[in-house]
Amino acid sequence: MIEFSSIRKEGLSVQIANAIRTAIIDGHLVVEERLPSEAELSERFEVSRSTVREALKRLAAQNLIRSERGSSGGAFVNRITHDEAQESLVTTLRLMIGMNNIAFEEAIESRFTLESACLGLAANRRSDDDLADLRAELQHQRSGSISDEDFCASDVAFHSIIGRSTGNPLLAFQMAGAVEAMQPLMNMLVYRLRDRQRITDLHAAIADALEAKDADAAWQHLEALASYTRELADQRRAPRLNGPKVGNGAAPEPASV
Amino acid sequence: MIEFSSIRKEGLSVQIANAIRTAIIDGHLVVEERLPSEAELSERFEVSRSTVREALKRLAAQNLIRSERGSSGGAFVNRITHDEAQESLVTTLRLMIGMNNIAFEEAIESRFTLESACLGLAANRRSDDDLADLRAELQHQRSGSISDEDFCASDVAFHSIIGRSTGNPLLAFQMAGAVEAMQPLMNMLVYRLRDRQRITDLHAAIADALEAKDADAAWQHLEALASYTRELADQRRAPRLNGPKVGNGAAPEPASV
DNA sequence: AAACATTTAATTGTCAGACATTTATACTTT
DNA sequence: AAAGTATAAATGTCTGACAATTAAATGTTT
């Protein structure tokens, strides 16, 4: 184990959390290594066990460590899973969108910009498996019986697969995170049946272009999809201007479609 | 305030944290709203104060809430600042890179792919202020006296400004996060003086292209920068194969396959 | 009456010690 | 040898107390 230097100002638990976090990120504590027990840490830092615990909870919330109970238990440096990382990414992006006056148009633009960058790579690299996955989602979307929620989920999946098709796990990660983070926004759009049809057709066109490894065509159809999304967003807003004032603004969900 | 439904399995503090987190993300608790005091929460959830505290610490670690002391203190739903969000993004990306076998090439590709997407927008939208900021960083990079660390920091700043030049705060956010997250990787590259010169020249070429609003030229120079970065990375690795064993071995680890 | 000082109340931060729960290991019994 | 049992070590939770901080109420002086 390493020596933690002593502590001075600001909340004790915060300082302890920072000390350990730094040790992890700087690599002094490697993945799966076990930290000293809470009792030992509290002696080492000369604080009570509760204080150490609060520090550990902070780190656990960031997925940096994981606590196991029992005789050979303790706190271990966590090998973060892809899912945990993605959840964390999504949370961060959503907070960023929700609390920093990000306009709907900006969010859409950011997402489609990222996706169009992915498309360039995906068109050259997509595997047959990727293509099959895309087709599977398309079929799902075409089945008229699925709910709005399922349609949106399938939409998220479709675009995540495009990210995956780049063959670059980091790009796939960012792409999937962005798409999922914006799902609540997309959910606000009313998907009438006709809209679904149009969207699914554009998805199909993109899949075709990827199959043909035709990046230009893929871009063109993605651009069409982006415009159409903006159009739907405008439609949803414009009529309201003359209509009755919207009660909440947050939860649209017009009764039934 | 809202009613929290009662709790059953899994760690109590985790459940409580989840309950409150959900309330925040779903908008039942709005920004700057004050949560009940720890004492009240512990009554409401029928757990001890320590348990509630650990839950709150978890949320605080995710920047979801902030605790203030004193008479009118308490836990408040946090309006996350841009910097906090970015720090969180950077941490997540770094964990993802460090713990999920992301190759150097993949990281570089992801970063330059994102940046090239930004360049297209930035070429049309960059303000004169953005341009001035880019020039300022260039001048800084040209002053031969700065340290390696400062050079890297300026490099990060330069590319973040490109993200900002898109005029899209969300893209800027993602771009800055990606660049900063990869700084440790870039730092591994030895920057000889000649390298710096070359890099700065390419930066200047990009800035010129942005000034001329010439997206194609900007892409071309960014591509050159990407290639050069890959080249440096290769140089750094290849000679080692015949040389003495590397002390640390933090990155490679092909030892056993 | 206004400015300043003091007390008070509410709230989070920390501490200490106890008990409950979980889990691996060592031991005992069959 | 296998199965069951005790044991020890660790985290999870509870309880109650005190310290530190802050805002507001209260009191005091000019």
Side-chain angles (χ1 to χ4, degrees):
Chain A
M1 265 299 299
I2 40 168
E3 288 299 318
F4 298 106
S5 57
S6 68
I7 303 288
R8 285 295 141 92
K9 316 167 186 176
E10 193 167 316
L12 285 177
S13 65
V14 176
Q15 296 171 54
I16 294 174
N18 288 339
I20 300 178
R21 181 185 304 111
T22 303
I24 294 176
I25 292 186
D26 290 356
H28 297 135
L29 291 167
V30 295
V31 163
E32 295 305 317
E33 183 169 345
R34 183 176 172 281
L35 279 83
S37 73
E38 296 178 351
E40 262 184 74
L41 284 174
S42 67
E43 279 182 22
R44 188 103 52 118
F45 286 113
E46 294 177 342
V47 296
S48 75
R49 201 185 139 210
S50 342
T51 305
V52 168
R53 292 201 103 245
E54 294 193 350
L56 294 180
K57 291 312 150 221
R58 293 189 117 91
L59 298 176
Q62 298 179 311
N63 283 314
L64 283 170
I65 64 170
R66 136 187 59 93
S67 288
E68 289 178 9
R69 297 165 62 152
S71 162
S72 67
F76 296 83
V77 178
N78 203 20
R79 157 163 275 124
I80 195 173
T81 69
H82 184 280
D83 286 351
E84 288 168 339
Q86 185 147 322
E87 189 184 324
S88 173
L89 174 62
V90 168
T91 301
T92 302
L93 285 177
R94 282 191 184 159
L95 283 177
M96 183 74 190
I97 292 172
M99 296 180 174
N100 280 62
N101 305 346
I102 304 287
F104 195 90
E105 275 75 16
E106 292 169 335
I108 290 185
E109 179 179 82
S110 144
R111 172 192 171 310
F112 280 109
T113 299
L114 181 56
E115 184 159 3
S116 103
C118 287
L119 265 188
L121 294 175
N124 287 322
R125 300 190 189 157
R126 98 287 181 288
S127 71
D128 290 345
D129 281 351
D130 295 328
L131 215 53
D133 290 344
L134 287 175
R135 299 283 183 208
E137 290 300 333
L138 275 176
Q139 192 174 359
H140 193 206
Q141 289 166 22
R142 282 231 162 83
S143 101
S145 61
I146 64 174
S147 68
D148 274 2
E149 279 175 6
D150 285 347
F151 185 81
C152 287
S154 174
D155 188 62
V156 168
F158 183 87
H159 294 284
S160 298
I161 295 169
I162 288 181
R164 217 171 58 208
S165 305
T166 63
N168 184 316
L170 201 51
L171 267 179
F173 174 72
Q174 291 175 293
M175 180 77 208
V179 172
E180 196 180 326
M182 291 172 196
Q183 193 187 14
L185 288 181
M186 304 304 259
N187 248 322
M188 287 171 45
L189 302 181
V190 180
Y191 284 127
R192 290 163 304 188
L193 270 186
R194 224 187 47 192
D195 301 335
R196 282 197 193 179
Q197 183 66 50
R198 174 89 187 264
I199 289 171
T200 309
D201 286 347
L202 286 170
H203 284 171
I206 292 174
D208 290 344
L210 287 181
E211 178 160 21
K213 304 203 172 188
D214 183 345
D216 286 330
W219 274 319
Q220 185 182 325
H221 296 303
L222 181 67
E223 187 48 51
L225 183 59
S227 312
Y228 187 57
T229 306
R230 290 195 182 90
E231 207 175 293
L232 285 178
D234 286 345
Q235 279 177 21
R236 198 193 160 282
R237 202 166 329 160
R240 291 281 188 246
L241 292 179
N242 294 335
K245 187 160 185 292
V246 184
N248 185 333
E253 308 178 326
S256 60
V257 182
Chain B
M1 265 301 299
I2 40 168
E3 287 299 318
F4 297 106
S5 56
S6 69
I7 303 289
R8 283 299 142 93
K9 313 169 184 176
E10 190 166 318
L12 284 178
S13 64
V14 176
Q15 295 172 54
I16 295 174
N18 288 340
I20 300 179
R21 181 185 304 111
T22 302
I24 293 177
I25 292 186
D26 290 356
H28 297 135
L29 290 167
V30 294
V31 163
E32 295 305 317
E33 182 169 345
R34 183 177 173 283
L35 280 82
S37 73
E38 296 177 351
E40 261 184 75
L41 284 173
S42 66
E43 279 183 21
R44 188 101 53 115
F45 286 113
E46 296 177 339
V47 297
S48 75
R49 202 185 136 211
S50 351
T51 306
V52 167
R53 293 200 102 245
E54 294 193 350
L56 295 180
K57 291 312 152 222
R58 292 190 119 91
L59 298 175
Q62 297 179 311
N63 281 315
L64 283 170
I65 64 170
R66 136 188 59 93
S67 288
E68 289 178 9
R69 294 165 55 148
S71 161
S72 67
F76 297 84
V77 179
N78 203 19
R79 158 163 274 125
I80 197 172
T81 69
H82 183 280
D83 286 350
E84 288 167 339
Q86 185 148 322
E87 189 184 323
S88 174
L89 174 61
V90 169
T91 301
T92 302
L93 285 177
R94 281 190 184 161
L95 284 176
M96 183 72 190
I97 292 172
M99 296 181 174
N100 280 64
N101 305 346
I102 305 287
F104 196 90
E105 276 74 17
E106 292 169 334
I108 290 185
E109 178 179 82
S110 144
R111 171 194 172 308
F112 280 109
T113 299
L114 181 55
E115 184 160 2
S116 103
C118 287
L119 266 186
L121 295 176
N124 287 322
R125 300 191 190 156
R126 99 285 182 288
S127 71
D128 290 346
D129 280 351
D130 295 328
L131 215 53
D133 290 344
L134 287 175
R135 298 284 184 207
E137 290 300 334
L138 275 176
Q139 193 174 359
H140 193 205
Q141 290 166 22
R142 282 230 164 83
S143 101
S145 61
I146 63 174
S147 68
D148 274 2
E149 279 174 7
D150 284 348
F151 184 82
C152 287
S154 174
D155 188 64
V156 169
F158 184 88
H159 294 284
S160 297
I161 295 168
I162 288 181
R164 217 171 58 209
S165 305
T166 63
N168 184 316
L170 201 51
L171 268 178
F173 174 71
Q174 291 175 292
M175 179 77 209
V179 172
E180 196 180 326
M182 291 172 197
Q183 193 187 14
L185 289 181
M186 304 304 260
N187 247 322
M188 288 171 45
L189 303 181
V190 181
Y191 283 127
R192 289 163 305 186
L193 270 188
R194 225 187 45 191
D195 301 336
R196 284 197 192 177
Q197 182 67 50
R198 175 89 188 263
I199 290 170
T200 310
D201 285 348
L202 287 170
H203 284 172
I206 293 173
D208 289 344
L210 287 182
E211 179 161 21
K213 304 202 171 187
D214 183 345
D216 287 330
W219 274 319
Q220 186 183 324
H221 295 305
L222 181 67
E223 188 46 53
L225 182 59
S227 313
Y228 188 56
T229 306
R230 290 194 181 92
E231 208 175 291
L232 284 178
D234 286 345
Q235 278 176 23
R236 197 192 163 286
R237 200 167 329 160
R240 289 283 188 248
L241 292 179
N242 295 333
K245 190 160 184 291
V246 184
N248 183 340
E253 84 213 86
S256 61
V257 180

